Amino acid sequence: MRRSKAFIPTSKEAPSDAQLASHIFLARAGFTSQVASGLYNYLPLGKRVIKKIENIINEEMEAIDAQELELSFVTPSDLWKESGRFDKFGSELLRFKDRKNNDFVLGPTHEEMMVNVVRDKITSYKQLPINLYQIKTKFRDEARPRFGLMRGREFIMKDAYSFHSSAEDLDREFNAVENAYKKILTRLGLEFRVVEADSGAIGGSGSKELMVISDSGEDTIAICDTCEYGANVEAAVRQNVEISSEAPEAEFNKFKTPNIKTMDELSEFFSVDKAYLVKSVAARAMYDDSDEIVLFFLRGDDNLQDVKAANSLGANEIVEIAESDLEKVGLVSGFMGPLDMDKVKIVLDNSLKDAKNMICGANESDFHYVGVDMSVMSEANFADIYEVKEGDTCRCGGKLFYKKGIEVGHIFKLGTTYSAPLKANFLDEQGRSQPFIMGTYGMGVSRLMASVVEQHHDDKGCIWTKSTAPYLVNIMISNIKDSDQVALGEKLYEELKNNGVEVVLDDRKDRFGFKMKDAELIGFPYTVIIGKELANGNVQIYTRSTCEKMDVSSSNIYNKVMELV
Ligand code: ATP
Ligand code: MG
């Protein structure tokens, strides 16, 4: 590509709301432009990077015998009603009517559509297994689109769906896809972890997320310093905590605790380890078409994990609640406890089961109970609702620590969650009709492009890896009026192009300094600088990842570049 003919609108100005390097540099270097909140154009350079990522995905999916197809973006609401997700998906699902008053949605994911494609076409176990995927625009009307391509409303996803006649075969495919996804991320030059994930409302028997490690990630993952264990904090577990400090032994009693409300104040007041305090967290649980106030109880040194809390109730999510709403139902904020709580539903963390010598709120202003034996509550609703903390002990005995991650992929053993309601069945070996056993495997293609920049940039701009660069080589003619410089530039450009190297010839009339800054901002892996030194038979190769310049004899430049690329 001749730079003089290219549309690469670079700019000094970053978008005003941009915080992340990827958001700033993809915009400044002319890879993307924003249309509206969460909507982006892929400009020529951005489109090239997307295609590179897609090619790698296609190769690795082909290697595990998955087949590409493409489903309609506009999907009939009826399918979503059949699966029961029409209501569940909430306002992220963009709904509309056509001129004949038929209801449609823009596909935010395509489980229903894919089941619809195979049902009645795959009818026998002999036609299984099968894995079908597409790389396609998705639309989710995200509540807070942000961070550029990281969380768009319209974005590109690679979504695969597999169909099986047995759970064992799904396990096999799940592992194969996990391996393929790992290869994709490795080829893209990304540092990542595969972690256990929350299977949430969709259910199913297991799910894993592929997390690109980055301080700018929105997800927190707990990783073990000893074993392979890694999990999203939404799902992370630890070894049962053993409390070493002395128990505050006391007869069961109501104790005056004037205005002592927080865990810190209580622990100081009684001089006890917070593990002997019962912490209460009030929240509103949100269901498809109802909601309720729920009290969650944990050890005083633990925090509530919202996703685990919602799962413990089968709720879609839990949300914060105002103190005034608690008062309305007769709860005494700061002094709430689980004993005889009959005003709202309660859930207790498993670590409180049979705990002795505990201190908890007495549901009366300025009073707590001491010497509480939690075994009196053995009939109550217990669940794992704690959030793993840094320093907690892994089940292997190692220590857990936190990292931030960008979720670039989510793979899921679905079972019959969609095939059963959509009545997508096959005949098994015994001739019985069974719903397909399914897996679903999503990967964020546009989010991957941003992730590459997040992990590969400096203060000057993007640093594309060889496998993701829009062009590998940039040939810079420093002075366009120097005919020798132009002649070498043109010759090298033709030679590289003819040998399949993706190359840009910067033949613009602008100053050298300006063009160099531009090359650094865009992040071509290599820039050949043809400058004054050509008179002495020398040119330079600038390597973007190290910012180093290497002198090369002009007669040898073609060979040198070919060696590098
Ligand atoms: P998140 O928790 O980040 O919202 P999700 O759990 O909703 O993600 P999935 O439904 O599993 O995501 O979708 C599969 C993949 O699609 C994700 O792993 C992610 O890489 C990508 N993805 C999801 N939502 C977006 C978005 N709004 N913008 C860009 N990519 C997205
Ligand atoms: Mg989401």
Side-chain angles (χ1 to χ4, degrees), residues 76-117:
S77 297
D78 283 348
L79 278 177
W80 289 78
K81 288 178 183 150
E82 267 186 76
S83 74
R85 273 211 290 191
F86 190 71
D87 295 318
K88 223 180 197 78
F89 227 93
S91 356
E92 273 190 26
L93 195 62
L94 190 69
R95 303 141 206 254
F96 60 97
K97 285 183 191 297
D98 69 3
R99 64 166 81 197
K100 293 185 182 136
N101 226 21
N102 297 315
D103 290 307
F104 290 93
V105 308
L106 284 186
T109 173
H110 269 81
E111 280 80 6
E112 287 81 353
M113 286 286 279
M114 199 64 92
V115 170
N116 184 48
V117 164

Side-chain angles (χ1 to χ4, degrees), residues 22-36:
S22 57
H23 189 184
I24 294 170
F25 289 136
L26 287 174
R28 282 195 50 209
F31 285 74
T32 57
S33 67
Q34 185 168 2
V35 186

Side-chain angles (χ1 to χ4, degrees), residues 140 142 149-152 155 157 407-410 442-444 446-447:
R140 295 182 184 180
E142 296 270 355
L149 296 185
M150 287 289 182
R151 187 168 298 283
F155 59 97
M157 201 206 285
E407 183 200 314
V408 294
H410 196 171
M443 186 166 243
S446 44
R447 188 179 280 185

Side-chain angles (χ1 to χ4, degrees), residues 516 520 525-527 529 540-544 547-549:
M516 197 61 204
E520 287 173 324
Y526 302 105
T527 293
I529 303 171
Q540 285 182 315
I541 297 178
Y542 169 80
T543 303
R544 181 66 183 89
C547 294
E548 277 166 10
K549 285 180 188 156

Side-chain angles (χ1 to χ4, degrees), residues 17 57 81 148 216 227 279 317 436 510 549:
D17 61 331
I57 292 175
K81 288 178 183 150
S216 62
C227 73
K279 179 192 268 185
E317 59 173 341
F436 294 115
D510 300 285
K549 285 180 188 156

Side-chain angles (χ1 to χ4, degrees), residues 306-321:
D306 289 4
V307 173
K308 289 184 181 177
N311 290 347
S312 73
L313 299 160
N316 297 335
E317 59 173 341
I318 61 160
V319 296
E320 266 182 53
I321 184 163

Side-chain angles (χ1 to χ4, degrees), residues 226-476:
T226 309
C227 73
E228 284 283 282
Y229 183 71
N232 194 313
V233 284
E234 294 172 353
V237 293
R238 66 184 177 205
Q239 205 172 84
N240 287 342
V241 180
E242 275 176 36
I243 301 144
S244 50
S245 56
E246 207 179 318
E249 282 180 34
E251 292 279 306
F252 178 70
N253 205 344
K254 198 152 89 179
F255 208 93
K256 191 156 175 74
T257 48
N259 210 25
I260 306 290
K261 294 181 174 177
T262 66
M263 291 297 110
D264 283 336
E265 289 163 354
L266 270 174
S267 133
E268 200 183 307
F269 183 82
F270 286 108
S271 295
V272 298
D273 191 322
K274 281 185 204 157
Y276 290 106
L277 305 174
V278 177
K279 179 192 268 185
S280 67
V281 182
R284 190 179 293 282
M286 311 299 290
Y287 304 92
D288 284 352
D289 26 45
S290 66
D291 66 77
E292 64 179 336
I293 297 175
V294 179
L295 279 182
F296 299 94
F297 295 100
L298 309 116
R299 295 258 187 187
D301 54 351
D302 275 332
N303 291 321
L304 184 70
Q305 205 327 297
D306 289 4
V307 173
K308 289 184 181 177
N311 290 347
S312 73
L313 299 160
N316 297 335
E317 59 173 341
I318 61 160
V319 296
E320 266 182 53
I321 184 163
E323 221 166 273
S324 54
D325 287 339
L326 299 180
E327 282 162 21
K328 272 184 220 152
V329 293
L331 295 172
V332 193
S333 175
F335 301 92
M336 296 179 294
L339 300 183
D340 303 322
M341 174 48 64
D342 52 7
K343 301 203 162 59
V344 294
K345 185 182 276 182
I346 67 169
V347 181
L348 297 103
D349 187 60
N350 276 325
S351 66
L352 289 174
K353 219 171 217 166
D354 301 331
K356 308 269 186 299
N357 303 306
M358 299 299 289
I359 297 172
C360 68
N363 296 312
E364 186 181 333
S365 201
D366 295 339
F367 282 97
H368 278 82
Y369 289 122
V370 298
V372 179
D373 179 348
M374 296 297 294
S375 56
V376 300
M377 302 219 53
S378 56
E379 300 298 306
N381 182 12
F382 284 89
D384 270 350
I385 52 174
Y386 67 90
E387 183 162 282
V388 156
K389 298 186 291 288
E390 286 204 283
D392 278 352
T393 307
C394 176
R395 284 169 300 180
C396 81
K399 284 272 167 279
L400 295 168
F401 65 99
Y402 279 178
K403 279 248 181 222
K404 286 284 178 190
I406 303 167
E407 183 200 314
V408 294
H410 196 171
I411 59 175
F412 228 98
K413 291 182 193 170
L414 279 178
T416 58
T417 318
Y418 293 93
S419 48
L422 287 159
K423 300 190 181 60
N425 297 333
F426 68 98
L427 292 178
D428 69 12
E429 268 180 272
Q430 282 73 42
R432 289 173 308 201
S433 181
Q434 306 260 18
F436 294 115
I437 296 168
M438 288 181 62
T440 175
Y441 318 92
M443 186 166 243
V445 177
S446 44
R447 188 179 280 185
L448 273 172
M449 167 149 113
S451 303
V452 172
V453 179
E454 226 31 70
Q455 274 195 355
H456 301 277
H457 70 270
D458 61 13
D459 54 359
K460 299 186 187 109
C462 313
I463 305 177
W464 294 101
T465 57
K466 276 194 202 172
S467 59
T468 53
Y471 293 92
L472 269 179
V473 179
N474 173 43
I475 302 171
M476 170 116 64

